[in-house]
Amino acid sequence: MKFYSFLAATFLITLNAFSQKEEAYFTKDSVSNVGFNVTLYSPAENARYCHIQYDNSVKKYTPQEVDEYGVKGRVFVAKKIEYKNEKKRVFLERLTTGKIVLYRYVTDNDQLYYYSNHNKKLAPLPKNKNGISYKETIKKLTGDCPEMTDKLFKRIKYKRNPMATAIRYYNICEPRYIPTFKTGLLVWLGLHKNTLTENMKLSTHTSNPLADLSYQFTTNLAFGAFIDIPINFTRHSFHIEAIINRYNHEFSESVIANYNYVSMVQADLVLKLKTTTLQLPVMYKYSIPYDKNLLFVNAGPVLGFTISDKSSLQYNFYNGATQSIDKELVDNISFGISAGLGAEFDITEKYKGITSLRYTMQSINNKETFIQHLIAINLGIFI
């Protein structure tokens, strides 16, 4: 029960992406003022004023007074725009930098995007103009990046995050950075350690032969495949694997055992774990672009199905006799948790690879609280 309580608690933990705090600032008369308390209000209010907290009062600066301000990683730039046949100076939220700089303007009832392409004049990017949708406009602007596929354009919505993400991917134009459905083949090189929980060792030591054994580290090789399913148009995805794991190891210990229920004699207690299982890790994955690689962290539950089980537990007495212990050693279905980190990288110009370091904890016999720990190096190739 303790294992499953820990498992349930782990699922309640949400993975958070932490970003470095950026100091608030505002630029006035070409002078940057750092360390002030810049406060954000509604998107429409942020477009009208820059709010600076001075002691117990708030000073509101207009786009005519302040050139730029930023807080919590968000930047607002004073620009002159044409909105509904009216020219005015407002604060635009700058969403991207690079070949295309994307801005967002928000009123009380509307939002509109503007862009600057290759340092050219600011231009509006309306949702629909003369029958031409914003998706068609973005497709035309990003036509020199072949990684911006039709499948990706279908995911773009006229909202802050999808719009910014699409332009950000174009500015990088690196295929690995752009979220797409991926498949691949995988090899695990694992280091195993079997344990019984401490409460099982203490409470059942005299009756549970598994508690008499010492479990050394063992290694094995496993093979499988994986799929990576992006969540909308973000760095988040589901990473699902199907691994065939063949485990064949023997553990033995010299003990004093009951021979034919008559006398206590010396024997070797031998546990043979010989199983073939289908492991199904279902991982949440968060990717972080770095240089030309893609770093990631992932975590999630693991479901195991026993395909074949030829495990055994027996006493080998020194007089040559043997005595099998009728005990269910491996469950047909097992549960666990897994977490790791890794990177996607170039193998050649054509082939891409993936590697990760993964820790998995899995209960292979819940009745005995028999837990298998696995530290694995995973190597894969996208196909």
Side-chain angles (χ1 to χ4, degrees):
M1 288 297 294
K2 284 189 176 181
F3 174 77
Y4 284 104
S5 297
F6 175 74
L7 191 64
T10 302
F11 290 141
L12 296 177
I13 298 174
T14 304
L15 292 176
N16 292 310
F18 294 99
S19 58
Q20 186 178 1
K21 289 185 177 179
E22 297 185 24
E23 197 168 12
Y25 74 94
F26 69 99
T27 302
K28 190 173 185 292
D29 299 327
S30 301
V31 177
S32 184
N33 301 274
V34 181
F36 287 82
N37 188 358
V38 180
T39 306
L40 294 181
Y41 289 84
S42 69
E45 184 69 9
N46 296 333
R48 287 191 287 261
Y49 299 105
C50 166
H51 299 81
I52 309 296
Q53 180 81 39
Y54 293 101
D55 296 327
N56 296 323
S57 62
V58 176
K59 170 72 173 177
K60 297 198 296 187
Y61 291 101
T62 67
Q64 285 73 28
E65 298 172 295
V66 167
D67 301 317
E68 180 179 316
Y69 71 93
V71 60
K72 297 180 181 179
R74 298 174 65 180
V75 175
F76 297 83
V77 183
K79 295 280 187 181
K80 182 177 283 189
I81 65 168
E82 183 174 336
Y83 178 73
K84 292 186 176 180
N85 299 320
E86 179 187 355
K87 291 184 179 180
K88 56 183 179 179
R89 190 172 173 87
V90 298
F91 286 118
L92 300 179
E93 182 182 6
R94 189 175 67 206
L95 302 180
T96 67
T97 59
K99 291 185 289 185
I100 295 180
V101 183
L102 184 68
Y103 301 91
R104 183 176 75 141
Y105 174 57
V106 180
T107 68
D108 291 324
N109 304 307
D110 195 13
Q111 70 170 340
L112 183 63
Y113 294 88
Y114 292 82
Y115 70 93
S116 174
N117 190 11
H118 301 288
N119 297 319
K120 293 181 181 179
K121 186 179 177 181
L122 196 68
L125 183 56
K127 193 170 185 179
N128 193 301
K129 184 177 181 180
N130 300 326
I132 300 176
S133 72
Y134 68 98
K135 290 187 180 183
E136 293 177 89
T137 303
I138 294 176
K139 189 173 183 179
K140 184 177 179 180
L141 291 171
T142 59
D144 58 334
C145 178
E147 308 305 329
M148 302 292 290
T149 62
D150 290 338
K151 186 181 291 187
L152 296 178
F153 283 112
K154 291 179 181 178
R155 298 180 186 167
I156 302 176
K157 297 178 181 179
Y158 203 71
K159 295 182 179 180
R160 181 182 183 275
N161 289 340
M163 291 283 285
T165 302
I167 299 302
R168 196 176 296 120
Y169 285 140
Y170 164 73
N171 287 340
I172 298 172
C173 196
E174 169 61 41
R176 194 179 301 111
Y177 291 177
I178 299 178
T180 56
F181 184 87
K182 302 173 185 175
T183 61
L185 301 176
L186 201 62
V187 177
W188 277 23
L189 177 60
L191 182 67
H192 292 262
K193 175 70 172 178
N194 298 304
T195 62
L196 288 173
T197 56
E198 289 300 322
N199 66 314
M200 291 301 299
K201 288 182 181 179
L202 294 174
S203 62
T204 63
H205 181 80
T206 55
S207 60
N208 183 4
L210 293 173
D212 293 321
L213 288 166
S214 298
Y215 300 97
Q216 301 82 21
F217 283 99
T218 58
T219 59
N220 80 311
L221 207 60
F223 302 90
F226 67 88
I227 59 174
D228 208 81
I229 306 170
I231 301 173
N232 294 327
F233 203 57
T234 67
R235 296 177 183 176
H236 307 270
S237 63
F238 287 113
H239 182 83
I240 304 171
E241 298 173 357
I243 306 294
I244 298 295
N245 188 7
R246 288 183 174 156
Y247 188 86
N248 186 8
H249 290 284
E250 182 177 303
F251 306 91
S252 64
E253 195 79 26
S254 180
V255 297
I256 301 298
N258 191 334
Y259 177 59
N260 284 339
Y261 307 100
V262 175
S263 59
M264 303 298 290
V265 297
Q266 197 164 14
D268 286 331
L269 175 62
V270 180
L271 168 65
K272 294 181 180 179
L273 284 177
K274 189 175 182 180
T275 61
T276 300
T277 59
L278 172 64
Q279 302 286 331
L280 296 175
V282 181
M283 316 281 284
Y284 159 79
K285 178 180 173 185
Y286 180 75
S287 301
I288 308 162
Y290 178 76
D291 195 12
K292 290 189 176 182
N293 300 310
L294 193 65
L295 309 182
F296 63 83
V297 292
N298 53 18
V302 179
L303 188 61
F305 296 93
T306 301
I307 300 172
S308 171
D309 179 17
K310 297 180 181 179
S311 302
S312 63
L313 180 64
Q314 69 179 36
Y315 290 112
N316 294 335
F317 294 99
Y318 286 4
N319 62 6
T322 62
Q323 181 178 314
S324 296
I325 302 173
D326 187 15
K327 181 178 283 289
E328 185 180 349
L329 298 171
V330 179
D331 291 336
N332 291 328
I333 300 177
S334 58
F335 301 92
I337 54 174
S338 189
L341 51 86
E344 297 178 16
F345 57 92
D346 290 331
I347 300 175
T348 65
E349 187 175 338
K350 183 179 179 180
Y351 295 103
K352 314 293 182 184
I354 182 173
T355 184
S356 67
L357 180 65
R358 180 90 55 80
Y359 169 72
T360 302
M361 182 174 71
Q362 195 162 4
S363 175
I364 61 175
N365 186 318
N366 185 50
K367 183 179 179 181
E368 304 293 347
T369 322
F370 197 12
I371 297 174
Q372 191 170 84
H373 303 266
L374 168 66
I375 298 175
I377 297 175
N378 305 339
L379 298 172
I381 184 171
F382 292 100
I383 57 174

